[in-house]
Amino acid sequence: QSVSSHALASAVERSDGIPLYIEEMARSLSLAPKESRQATTGSKPDSAGQAASIPLTLQGTLMARLDSLGDASTTAQLAAVIGPEFEFDVLCRLSGKSHDALQSEILALVDAGVLRNVMPSASNWYEFRHSLLWQDAYDRPLDADPGRVHYELADIYTEEYPELRNTSPAVLAQHLASAKRWLDAAGLWLQAGLAARDVGSTIEAMARFDNCLHSLDSATASKESNAIRFKCQLSRGMVIYHHFGPGDPRVQDALSAA
């Protein structure tokens, strides 16, 4: 449908040159009733009888997009728990929905510009079109307990994707930590840190070692947790030593804690 020059000028001004915002404003304008577009630009006085104006912020446009999708919005929230990118079969198992029902909602999310195929040849893999869309879906309250969803997802990965422990330990560790399975999470954070260290990703290794220690702080003390802590502190200290030099005070701190 046609869009007035006043509405276009307003959209350009609000977007401040941000590509995603421009795209979202354009989508909102094309879908909004004529009187709403006029009310938004001020070409007519607003009133209670008119449709709600187009959202003033980028977050508002993204929230409005998800709000308009009904059941598919809930599916987007569940997909967001998996991550910015997810496999259809994992979401199907996590949601408990039939293949056809879930596929219909996924297609609705693709048509709405929320999701897209990762690759045309990989129709089983999807990703959120923008990190802000993923963040908005993730931040929305779930009907189910989020910790329980992460718990179930960790079980799915552990049972059906055992290779993930070796190929993407940080992914599984994140879900285990969100499920408050602290000891399991700590072991995988340590593994992820060692893997990052071995390929020279010092900052990433440090972040993962820190996540390991944070998980251990919440875990019940045991011989296993003590062994993980010792190896983590030792590995962390050596990474600091080689990257920042022996004079860095964190070296002594880490080795003393080990």
Side-chain angles (χ1 to χ4, degrees):
Q1 55 185 315
S2 62
V3 178
S4 72
S5 59
H6 294 289
L8 287 174
S10 178
V12 171
E13 181 179 359
R14 290 185 196 175
S15 66
D16 198 27
I18 301 172
L20 179 63
Y21 198 1
I22 293 173
E23 184 178 343
E24 292 300 320
M25 288 295 292
R27 179 184 291 270
S28 294
L29 283 168
S30 67
L31 297 177
K34 182 178 180 181
E35 64 271 19
S36 177
R37 297 198 299 270
Q38 291 170 331
T40 304
T41 61
S43 59
K44 284 186 180 181
D46 199 358
S47 69
Q50 292 176 320
S53 63
I54 298 167
L56 293 172
T57 64
L58 177 56
Q59 183 181 18
T61 63
L62 298 178
M63 291 178 67
R65 173 104 64 98
L66 287 174
D67 287 339
S68 68
L69 293 173
D71 290 342
S73 175
T74 302
T75 295
Q77 290 177 254
L78 204 57
V81 173
I82 301 175
E85 181 180 309
F86 62 92
E87 186 177 1
F88 178 89
D89 292 343
V90 174
L91 180 59
C92 193
R93 172 74 184 274
L94 185 64
S95 68
K97 295 182 178 181
S98 69
H99 181 281
D100 291 345
L102 183 61
Q103 186 66 56
S104 176
E105 293 179 0
I106 290 293
L107 291 177
L109 290 166
V110 171
D111 289 343
V114 175
L115 301 178
R116 63 186 172 196
N117 285 121
V118 174
M119 295 181 295
S121 60
S123 58
N124 200 37
W125 281 89
Y126 295 88
E127 66 180 359
F128 283 84
R129 193 175 58 82
H130 195 279
S131 60
L132 291 176
L133 284 165
W134 168 71
Q135 193 65 55
D136 182 50
Y138 185 83
D139 288 343
R140 289 172 174 238
L142 280 168
D143 291 336
D145 174 52
R148 184 63 190 173
V149 174
H150 282 287
Y151 196 106
E152 293 175 2
L153 183 57
D155 280 345
I156 292 171
Y157 280 142
T158 301
E159 295 168 7
E160 300 186 19
Y161 301 84
E163 70 279 2
L164 200 66
R165 298 185 69 89
N166 295 320
T167 59
S168 302
V171 172
L172 185 53
Q174 182 63 62
H175 291 301
L176 287 167
S178 296
K180 299 183 179 181
R181 294 164 65 172
W182 302 116
L183 186 59
D184 290 338
L188 283 169
W189 280 128
L190 173 60
Q191 184 178 331
L194 294 173
R197 178 204 64 184
D198 291 345
V199 297
S201 298
T202 301
I203 302 303
E204 187 175 356
M206 289 287 293
R208 292 174 175 182
F209 288 145
D210 287 344
N211 286 338
C212 173
L213 295 174
H214 291 154
S215 293
L216 288 172
D217 288 341
S218 298
T220 301
S222 65
K223 289 184 178 180
E224 185 177 0
S225 69
N226 290 338
I228 293 173
R229 186 182 296 276
F230 173 80
K231 188 170 184 178
C232 182
Q233 290 284 23
L234 183 61
S235 300
R236 183 174 180 273
M238 294 309 297
V239 165
I240 297 171
Y241 178 90
H242 289 296
H243 188 78
F244 298 101
D248 193 302
R250 291 176 296 175
V251 174
Q252 186 61 40
D253 291 342
L255 296 180
S256 297

